[in-house]
Amino acid sequence: MDVSKMTVSINKAINTQEVAVKEKHARTCILGTHHEKGAQTFWSVVNRLPLSSNAVLCWKFCHVFHKLLRDGHPNVLKDSLRYKNELSDMSRMWGHLSEGYGQLCSIYLKLLRTKMEYHTKNPRFPGNLQMSDRQLDEAGESDVNNFFQLTVEMFDYLECELNLFQTVFNSLDMSRSVSVTTAGQCRLAPLIQVILDCSHLYDYTVKLLFKLHSCLPADTLQGHRDRFMEQFTKLKDLFYRSSNLQYFKRLIQIPQLPENSPNFLRASALSEHISPVVVIPAEASSPDSEPVLEKDDLMDMDASQQSLFDNKFDDIFGSSLSSDPFNFNSQNGVNKDEKGHLIDQLYQEISVLKAQLENMKAESQRAVLQLKGRISELEAELAEQKHLRQQAADDSEFLRAELDELKKKREDTEKAQRSLTEIERKAQANEQRYSKLKEKYSELVQNHADLLRKNAEVTKQVSVARQAQVDLEREKKEIEDSFQRVSEQAQRKTQEQTEVLENLKQELATSKQELQVVQGSLEMAAQSEGKWVTQIAELEKERGRLVNAMARREEEFSALQAQLENTQLKLSSTQESMCQLAKDQRKMLLAESRKAAEQVIQEALRQLEEPTLLSCAGSADHLLSTVKSVSSCIEQLEKCWSRYIACPEDISGLLHSVTLLAHLTSDTIVHGGTTCLRALPEPADALTEACKQYGKETLLYLAFLEEERTLENVDSTALRSFLSKIAAIGEELLPRGLDIKQEELGDLVDKEMAATSAAIETATARIEEMLSKSREGDTGVKLEVNERILGSCTSLMQAIQVLIVASKDLQREIVESGRGTASPKEFYAKNSRWTEGLISASKAVGWGATVMVDAADLVVQGKGKFEELMVCSHEIAASTAQLVAASKVKAGKDSPNLAQLQQASRGVNQATAAVVASTISGKSQIEETDNMDFSGMTLTQIKRQEMDSQVRVLELENELQKERQKLGELRKKHYELAGVAEGWEEETEASPPALQEVVTEKE
């Protein structure tokens, strides 16, 4: 493609007119990048444009550049990275303008910079973001950390897209048809590229979140789900608003997102996810798709072609103005000079034709590229049509099912209409049903007496009573329906009789008119008097019949009214009986609920009196959450009691509140008892006494509810007082680790790391001191063993010191790269969970070093055990592994400090292995010096010693099994207490990421 043609297209696409960029100019720019395999020409032209002084010009530049990043040559991104800082400066400059295109240009430039950074960091993603599921999996390299980070980057990417989307809509006056104006289309045109990006980013985000939920705990991804829900709501609203604009309807088919967001907690929901597909209709009918030719160019081309054709014809066949058109002598007699001239002329024409042929080949190649693009668009449209066809098939199945249901409903309606004739028979059957209700009521009274005698069957009797109440309500409803139907029938009959009466009156009036006509006819025709007299007599008979029919209708109406009054009397008596029965049942239900609640609370108090029934220790924060729930339940119970006093029929809420209060009170008492197991004696006794008093006050409070008292007589002040006392004691028992303020975390990290370094240095000095004392006082094998063990311990301390230095460097790098303009303390406070992990790991390393030195001192003095030293070595190795895991959570994959930290971790593992090896070797050397001498022993003595040894072996094996079980429980308890101290949520079943690696190392 000619550079000048591309330059002209760029200048035509990016101009100061407030109209949308023409598609033909943008397409020419895209083809130009593929032709020159880059964007050098584009940037050479753009750099000469005054983008910083004209907002419309900058807005149209952003639109064209966005299309080049999506559909242009892949090298467009590489050629554009050098201008990234200039785009950022221009974005800040336009951000100072709050009107017009200023804010739009600022946000659009930020989006383009984010897009460039995302595709630079993730080169597997093409500019148009079209990838298969397999390519998406390869982008994460099968690493859950990569998928986690990739999801965060996609959230940031989509946030910029939605920000531009929302800002454009806010800048438009939606009260007018802005999409049909040139100014409105200028602002809306770039949103087509935004819609294409958003559809792919939403699809990939859903798939990545399902993949993360299959690998990580749900609580870890709570922030991801909240952020996705916010973006899902915005994107769904913006897609819906865009699809209603006339401008988009002819340019793009916008998909609609589902009504509800995907449920990531259910893995099978992934199969229900449908990827949104954006379809761009064919542009053949668009005026922008025609070849770029001006009218003057077409006229000049036609004139030049006509002139060239005339010259060729005259040169070859002679002038057409010759006097004799059939005289060929002048041509046959051409001399050699003219032939040579003619040959040269033909060669020139051949060269011209060759040039034209080359141009035609170039145009054909361009046409082939356009056709290939058109083919890809048609394939996408075909896929969308297939999808729509499948949806249409599903809709047809759904409509067919609905049609079947409508047919069934119509049949049911017909049956109901036919059953109207049975209304009178059902009305007579109501009396029999009422007698049955009386029998059922007597049975309920008998069951109530049985309930009082048999407390074990309380629940079953209550269910029977509730079922009976449901039957009564159903019978009541049937009687009311029957009464309603009888009333309607009576009204219909009354209306029919009224209509018949009106018809009779009209017929009577008509008969009178006819009689008058007949009388007139008699005067006019005396000869036909006999015939008219007969006709009048017939009319009089018909009138008599009509009067008799009206009288019968009135009698039937009176009978129906009497039947209606009788039915009303029966219904009122039935309602009074049912109300009295329902009142007794409500009292019975309330009494039984109160008794069940008292049993639950008394059982909890019994468990509190017998601590052996409490299975495990509890936490103070769980107790406080339960106390808060009890306070809310008491308020709800008082509201339900007030409603019950005002309206006795509203008892369901009161029963629910009584049951809930009983169970929450039981939980509070039990949790108070389990929390005492962790507390000191004095607060534990106070908490136990407060729980007992609270249980007793709750029983008294429930006893007041049995009588129909007002709310003022039912006082819950004492109940709330003891509940507040329990909450105050629980606050005092909270772990200290939860009281650390976030602004103090940064200082605490530095203090703990410094304290760990000091502990390591102190441990190294103590080891040197112990080695000096051993050399002065020990000799032989013992000196050799002590030197080997203390030397390996010294090497381990040096390796740990190197690890701590590497960890500090990596943490400094993480803080500097992640805090931005914030201070290090603010960064630590923002990432409090990670900071608390560092603090915990640092404490564990310093504590492990101190314990190992104490164990080594006892071994050197001959007072300790070699096994204790090996256990301490494993413990400090696990603690350093925890520090490494906590340090590298936020580190970059290619960080050199991370590589140094991992190398230092391997050094610690090797030093730990050396300590264990030297300890085992020293133990074997010491044991070899103690030879077993069995000389001089008799057979009986040796047999006795053998039996004693077997007994000792069995005892040691039993003790080993018990100690292993105890070790498992201690580890479990250690992780729980460590989680409480560092602020982890107790409800999380999985351990934190740093502790998981520690558990692996220890196992």
Side-chain angles (χ1 to χ4, degrees):
M1 179 180 290
D2 190 2
V3 176
S4 60
K5 183 177 180 180
M6 184 177 178
T7 302
V8 172
S9 298
I10 294 173
N11 288 322
K12 288 184 177 181
I14 307 174
N15 53 43
T16 58
Q17 298 179 0
E18 193 176 1
V19 296
V21 176
K22 289 188 176 182
E23 186 65 27
K24 59 184 179 181
H25 300 320
R27 190 186 302 113
T28 303
C29 297
I30 294 172
L31 294 175
T33 60
H34 287 281
H35 184 265
E36 68 176 5
K37 296 181 174 57
Q40 295 87 355
T41 303
F42 174 77
W43 282 108
S44 64
V45 176
V46 169
N47 287 332
R48 295 194 296 268
L49 297 176
L51 300 180
S52 300
S53 59
N54 192 302
V56 177
L57 194 70
C58 182
W59 176 254
K60 300 179 78 171
F61 154 73
C62 294
H63 184 191
V64 175
F65 184 41
H66 195 172
K67 293 178 73 70
L68 293 183
L69 290 176
R70 281 187 50 83
D71 303 324
H73 194 273
N75 290 336
V76 171
L77 178 61
K78 297 179 181 178
D79 296 339
S80 304
L81 289 176
R82 70 185 69 175
Y83 303 101
K84 187 169 64 173
N85 294 331
E86 297 180 7
L87 296 180
S88 300
D89 296 339
M90 197 183 307
S91 173
R92 286 193 294 270
M93 187 272 294
W94 285 116
H96 295 297
L97 298 179
S98 59
E99 298 179 356
Y101 283 87
Q103 287 294 327
L104 296 178
C105 293
S106 176
I107 295 174
Y108 207 165
L109 289 169
K110 290 179 182 178
L111 170 59
L112 295 176
R113 178 183 174 90
T114 303
K115 185 177 182 67
M116 294 168 64
E117 292 175 348
Y118 178 83
H119 289 286
T120 303
K121 190 174 182 180
N122 303 281
R124 294 178 183 267
F125 285 80
N128 56 10
L129 294 173
Q130 293 181 0
M131 294 180 67
S132 63
D133 293 342
R134 181 178 59 82
Q135 292 172 334
L136 184 62
D137 292 338
E138 293 175 353
E141 299 178 355
S142 300
D143 188 353
V144 67
N145 294 324
N146 293 341
F147 284 121
F148 190 94
Q149 184 63 29
L150 186 60
T151 307
V152 174
E153 294 173 358
M154 283 191 178
F155 279 144
D156 297 338
Y157 195 172
L158 185 57
E159 188 70 28
C160 294
E161 300 275 3
L162 294 176
N163 192 12
L164 177 61
F165 215 141
Q166 187 67 46
T167 305
V168 172
F169 271 80
N170 293 338
S171 66
L172 297 174
D173 185 6
M174 290 303 177
S175 62
R176 299 183 300 168
S177 300
V178 294
S179 64
V180 298
T181 63
T182 57
Q185 293 176 0
C186 182
R187 300 191 182 193
L188 292 173
L191 296 186
I192 295 177
Q193 310 301 317
V194 175
I195 293 172
L196 292 171
D197 288 344
C198 290
S199 63
H200 292 297
L201 290 173
Y202 166 77
D203 184 32
Y204 300 154
T205 304
V206 171
K207 294 176 180 177
L208 289 178
L209 282 177
F210 273 111
K211 186 179 294 295
L212 288 175
H213 277 79
S214 65
C215 302
L216 296 176
D219 293 342
T220 305
L221 300 173
Q222 182 63 43
H224 280 50
R225 290 196 300 274
D226 294 341
R227 193 172 183 185
F228 172 82
M229 189 61 192
E230 179 183 358
Q231 294 184 353
F232 170 80
T233 305
K234 291 182 180 178
L235 185 60
K236 179 181 176 182
D237 178 64
L238 293 174
F239 273 10
Y240 175 76
R241 294 172 63 184
S242 302
S243 62
N244 294 327
L245 292 179
Q246 189 65 30
Y247 176 71
F248 288 126
K249 290 183 179 179
R250 66 183 183 87
L251 296 178
I252 187 171
Q253 184 176 344
I254 303 174
Q256 296 299 323
L257 298 185
E259 185 66 23
N260 299 319
S261 62
N263 185 5
F264 299 108
L265 301 179
R266 183 168 57 89
S268 60
L270 178 59
S271 60
E272 303 171 2
H273 169 66
I274 299 177
S275 302
V277 179
V278 180
V279 179
I280 299 179
E283 298 175 357
S285 61
S286 176
D288 293 344
S289 61
E290 299 297 331
V292 186
L293 292 176
E294 301 295 339
K295 183 176 180 181
D296 296 337
D297 297 338
L298 292 172
M299 296 175 61
D300 295 342
M301 184 178 68
D302 294 340
S304 61
Q305 289 180 353
Q306 183 65 30
S307 176
L308 179 62
F309 177 79
D310 293 341
N311 293 334
K312 288 181 182 179
F313 186 86
D314 293 340
D315 292 339
I316 298 175
F317 299 103
S319 175
S320 60
L321 300 175
S322 174
S323 60
D324 188 2
F326 299 98
N327 184 10
F328 298 97
N329 292 330
S330 60
Q331 293 183 11
N332 295 332
V334 177
N335 54 25
K336 295 181 179 180
D337 295 336
E338 292 177 351
K339 287 182 178 180
H341 178 70
L342 183 59
I343 290 171
D344 293 338
Q345 188 175 1
L346 290 174
Y347 275 126
Q348 293 177 359
E349 292 176 359
I350 290 171
S351 62
V352 172
L353 292 175
K354 286 183 178 179
Q356 293 179 355
L357 181 61
E358 293 295 331
N359 292 332
M360 291 178 64
K361 288 182 178 180
E363 292 295 329
S364 64
Q365 291 179 356
R366 184 179 65 83
V368 168
L369 292 176
Q370 292 180 351
L371 290 175
K372 287 182 178 179
R374 180 60 179 160
I375 288 171
S376 62
E377 293 176 358
L378 291 175
E379 289 177 350
E381 185 176 357
L382 178 61
E384 178 65 18
Q385 292 298 329
K386 289 181 179 178
H387 178 67
L388 292 176
R389 184 180 64 184
Q390 183 64 30
Q391 286 185 345
D394 297 339
D395 292 340
S396 64
E397 291 294 333
F398 178 73
L399 292 175
R400 189 176 294 108
E402 284 189 348
L403 181 60
D404 295 338
E405 292 181 359
L406 290 176
K407 289 181 179 179
K408 292 180 180 179
K409 290 181 179 179
R410 186 180 65 184
E411 294 176 357
D412 296 338
T413 304
E414 292 176 355
K415 292 180 180 179
Q417 291 177 353
R418 289 194 298 268
S419 64
L420 290 177
T421 57
E422 301 179 0
I423 293 176
E424 295 180 357
R425 182 177 58 82
K426 290 184 178 180
Q428 296 175 357
N430 286 336
E431 295 180 359
Q432 299 177 357
R433 292 179 181 176
Y434 176 69
S435 61
K436 291 181 180 179
L437 286 176
K438 287 184 177 179
E439 294 176 358
K440 289 184 179 180
Y441 174 71
S442 62
E443 292 177 0
L444 287 175
V445 173
Q446 184 64 31
N447 291 335
H448 176 61
D450 295 338
L451 278 173
L452 296 176
R453 291 191 299 268
K454 299 178 182 179
N455 291 330
E457 300 179 358
V458 170
T459 304
K460 181 178 179 180
Q461 295 295 338
V462 170
S463 63
V464 171
R466 289 180 179 174
Q467 183 63 34
Q469 184 178 5
V470 171
D471 294 339
L472 289 174
E473 292 293 335
R474 185 172 62 251
E475 295 296 334
K476 176 184 176 181
K477 185 176 181 182
E478 290 179 357
I479 293 174
E480 291 177 352
D481 294 340
S482 300
F483 173 72
Q484 184 67 23
R485 287 193 294 270
V486 171
S487 300
E488 292 177 355
Q489 186 178 8
Q491 291 178 358
R492 285 197 302 270
K493 289 183 178 181
T494 303
Q495 186 175 3
E496 291 176 358
Q497 292 173 356
T498 304
E499 291 176 356
V500 171
L501 183 62
E502 291 294 331
N503 292 332
L504 291 175
K505 290 180 180 179
Q506 292 178 1
E507 291 179 0
L508 182 60
T510 304
S511 299
K512 290 181 179 179
Q513 293 177 358
E514 291 178 355
L515 183 61
Q516 293 176 359
V517 172
V518 170
Q519 289 176 353
S521 299
L522 287 174
E523 293 176 356
M524 293 175 62
Q527 65 275 12
S528 57
E529 180 179 358
K531 183 179 67 176
W532 293 116
V533 169
T534 303
Q535 189 174 4
I536 290 172
E538 292 178 354
L539 290 174
E540 288 292 338
K541 292 180 180 179
E542 183 68 23
R543 176 177 174 276
R545 287 196 299 270
L546 292 175
V547 171
N548 294 332
M550 184 176 67
R552 287 195 301 271
R553 295 292 183 184
E554 290 178 352
E555 291 177 357
E556 291 178 358
F557 178 71
S558 300
L560 288 175
Q561 282 185 340
Q563 184 179 0
L564 179 61
E565 292 175 356
N566 189 19
T567 305
Q568 288 177 346
L569 291 174
K570 292 181 180 180
L571 180 61
S572 61
S573 61
T574 303
Q575 287 179 346
E576 291 177 358
S577 301
M578 292 176 64
C579 290
Q580 184 65 29
L581 177 61
K583 183 177 180 181
D584 295 337
Q585 289 180 349
R586 285 194 295 269
K587 291 183 178 180
M588 180 187 65
L589 289 174
L590 181 59
E592 296 302 330
S593 299
R594 185 188 62 79
K595 290 180 180 179
E598 289 178 351
Q599 291 177 359
V600 172
I601 297 173
Q602 289 172 357
E603 177 63 21
L605 291 173
R606 188 177 67 85
Q607 293 183 7
L608 188 64
E609 293 292 340
E610 300 180 10
T612 57
L613 298 178
L614 302 177
S615 58
C616 61
S619 60
D621 54 349
H622 196 177
L623 176 61
L624 291 176
S625 64
T626 308
V627 169
K628 185 177 180 181
S629 301
V630 173
S631 299
S632 302
C633 182
I634 293 174
E635 296 177 358
Q636 184 66 25
L637 177 59
E638 291 178 348
K639 293 179 181 178
C640 294
W641 177 255
S642 300
R643 289 198 297 268
Y644 173 71
I645 294 299
C647 180
E649 289 79 7
D650 189 6
I651 194 174
S652 59
L654 180 61
L655 295 178
H656 173 73
S657 299
V658 170
T659 305
L660 181 61
L661 177 62
H663 288 285
L664 290 177
T665 300
S666 175
D667 292 343
T668 303
I669 295 172
V670 173
H671 287 318
T674 56
T675 305
C676 292
L677 299 179
R678 284 186 175 175
L680 295 176
E682 183 176 352
D685 295 341
L687 181 58
T688 302
E689 184 63 25
C691 291
K692 291 180 181 179
Q693 293 297 329
Y694 168 66
K696 294 178 181 178
E697 287 296 331
T698 305
L699 292 175
L700 292 176
Y701 182 75
L702 292 176
F704 285 132
L705 296 181
E706 187 175 4
E707 302 177 2
E708 294 186 358
R709 300 170 178 260
T710 59
L711 188 62
E712 290 76 8
N713 297 330
V714 182
D715 189 9
S716 62
T717 305
L719 190 65
R720 295 178 184 272
S721 175
F722 287 107
L723 197 63
S724 302
K725 186 176 181 180
I726 294 174
I729 299 174
E731 292 287 347
E732 296 177 358
L733 296 178
L734 284 174
R736 291 178 299 172
L738 296 176
D739 298 333
I740 299 177
K741 298 181 180 178
Q742 289 191 346
E743 55 268 18
E744 300 176 359
L745 288 176
D747 297 334
L748 191 57
V749 170
D750 296 335
K751 291 179 181 178
E752 289 298 335
M753 294 299 290
T756 302
S757 300
I760 297 300
E761 293 176 357
T762 303
T764 304
R766 287 186 59 189
I767 291 173
E768 292 294 335
E769 182 181 354
M770 286 188 289
L771 184 58
S772 300
K773 292 181 179 179
S774 179
R775 288 173 179 171
E776 293 177 358
D778 298 328
T779 58
V781 176
K782 186 175 182 181
L783 177 60
E784 180 183 354
V785 171
N786 291 343
E787 287 181 344
R788 189 184 303 118
I789 292 175
L790 294 177
S792 61
C793 290
T794 303
S795 300
L796 177 59
M797 293 301 165
Q798 293 175 353
I800 294 174
Q801 189 68 32
V802 173
L803 177 70
I804 292 174
V805 174
S807 176
K808 288 181 179 179
D809 295 338
L810 181 59
Q811 292 170 22
R812 189 179 302 108
E813 177 187 340
I814 293 171
V815 173
E816 291 297 330
S817 62
R819 68 186 179 90
T821 58
S823 63
K825 292 184 179 180
E826 293 174 350
F827 178 81
Y828 283 123
K830 181 180 180 182
N831 300 273
S832 59
R833 186 63 57 83
W834 175 68
T835 306
E836 290 169 356
L838 289 178
I839 295 171
S840 175
S842 301
K843 289 180 179 178
V845 172
W847 176 82
T850 304
V851 172
M852 192 188 74
V853 172
D854 294 337
D857 190 9
L858 293 175
V859 169
V860 170
Q861 295 178 9
K863 300 178 182 179
K865 298 180 180 180
F866 290 95
E867 290 80 4
E868 184 176 358
L869 182 58
M870 288 188 287
V871 171
C872 292
S873 301
H874 285 297
E875 186 68 27
I876 197 170
S879 300
T880 54
Q882 179 184 353
L883 179 60
V884 172
S887 299
K888 72 178 183 180
V889 166
K890 291 185 175 294
K893 184 173 61 177
D894 300 327
S895 173
N897 289 327
L898 177 59
Q900 293 179 2
L901 180 64
Q902 292 173 343
Q903 181 65 30
S905 177
R906 286 191 288 271
V908 172
N909 291 334
Q910 294 174 0
T912 303
V915 172
V916 174
S918 62
T919 303
I920 294 174
S921 176
K923 179 182 178 182
S924 61
Q925 282 184 294
I926 295 297
E927 290 176 350
E928 287 177 359
T929 58
D930 301 333
N931 296 325
M932 296 182 182
D933 187 10
F934 300 111
S935 60
M937 296 179 67
T938 62
L939 177 61
T940 303
Q941 292 175 341
I942 292 176
K943 185 65 176 178
R944 181 64 180 174
Q945 290 289 336
E946 181 181 356
M947 293 176 63
D948 292 341
S949 297
Q950 290 179 354
V951 172
R952 182 58 179 165
V953 167
L954 293 176
E955 291 176 352
L956 291 176
E957 289 178 351
N958 189 19
E959 291 180 0
L960 176 61
Q961 183 66 23
K962 292 181 179 179
E963 288 297 327
R964 283 179 175 171
Q965 294 178 356
K966 182 179 179 181
L967 177 60
E969 293 297 327
L970 287 173
R971 285 178 175 173
K972 180 179 179 181
K973 196 65 178 179
H974 170 258
Y975 298 148
E976 292 178 358
L977 293 177
V980 173
E982 298 302 331
W984 301 330
E985 296 180 359
E986 293 185 355
E987 289 79 7
T988 305
E989 295 181 0
S991 300
L995 286 180
Q996 289 179 357
E997 187 169 351
V998 175
V999 173
T1000 304
E1001 293 289 338
K1002 289 188 176 182
E1003 293 297 332

